[in-house]
Amino acid sequence: MFNHFSLLFQPQAGEEEQKDVGGESLLNHHVRLCENVLEIYANVGSEVPLKEDTWEHLLKVVLGITDSLLGQPKGSDHLAERLCPSLLKVLFSLWLRSGMIGVMWDN
């Protein structure tokens, strides 16, 4: 499930100029959907007891999303700029809650 949600974070070309039926830009809609998924990840990490392998998988998914979005050339992706604060907040929150501070990062 975590992997499927991560597919949503792929930037779409030209979405900042395109409008949906309600007149909202597709980028705003995309950002809102991504923020909802980040909230789901954060809620799972804070409300569901997870095994170590599940924590590791969740952290790798969120780290992969972060790497993919923030690895874009600066200014080329408005999605990354809009999601950066929320994304880093969720990543660090999950990492600290997981108790895997030295385990995963030593590899």
Side-chain angles (χ1 to χ4, degrees):
M1 179 176 83
F2 299 138
N3 289 347
H4 296 317
F5 280 149
S6 71
L7 298 174
L8 180 65
F9 291 84
Q10 297 297 318
Q12 305 298 315
E15 68 184 347
E16 56 274 350
E17 293 93 25
Q18 297 177 9
K19 305 283 184 197
D20 67 8
V21 176
E24 180 183 25
S25 78
L26 290 183
L27 177 62
N28 288 341
H29 189 68
H30 193 177
V31 168
R32 196 167 58 252
L33 289 173
C34 290
E35 287 174 341
N36 288 343
V37 169
L38 289 173
E39 188 176 328
I40 290 169
Y41 287 158
N43 288 338
V44 166
S46 65
E47 297 174 10
V48 178
L50 301 174
K51 295 180 181 178
E52 186 174 322
D53 60 332
T54 307
W55 271 116
E56 185 173 345
H57 183 74
L58 177 58
L59 288 169
K60 284 182 178 180
V61 168
V62 176
L63 189 60
I65 292 167
T66 305
D67 181 54
S68 174
L69 278 178
L70 301 184
Q72 303 283 331
K74 187 170 173 77
S76 68
D77 183 38
H78 298 286
L79 182 64
E81 292 174 13
R82 304 256 311 261
L83 290 176
C84 183
S86 301
L87 190 55
L88 292 176
K89 177 183 174 185
V90 169
L91 174 64
F92 291 129
S93 172
L94 290 173
W95 179 45
L96 293 172
R97 282 193 181 126
S98 72
M100 300 182 70
I101 293 176
V103 176
M104 204 172 108
W105 309 110
D106 289 340
N107 295 332

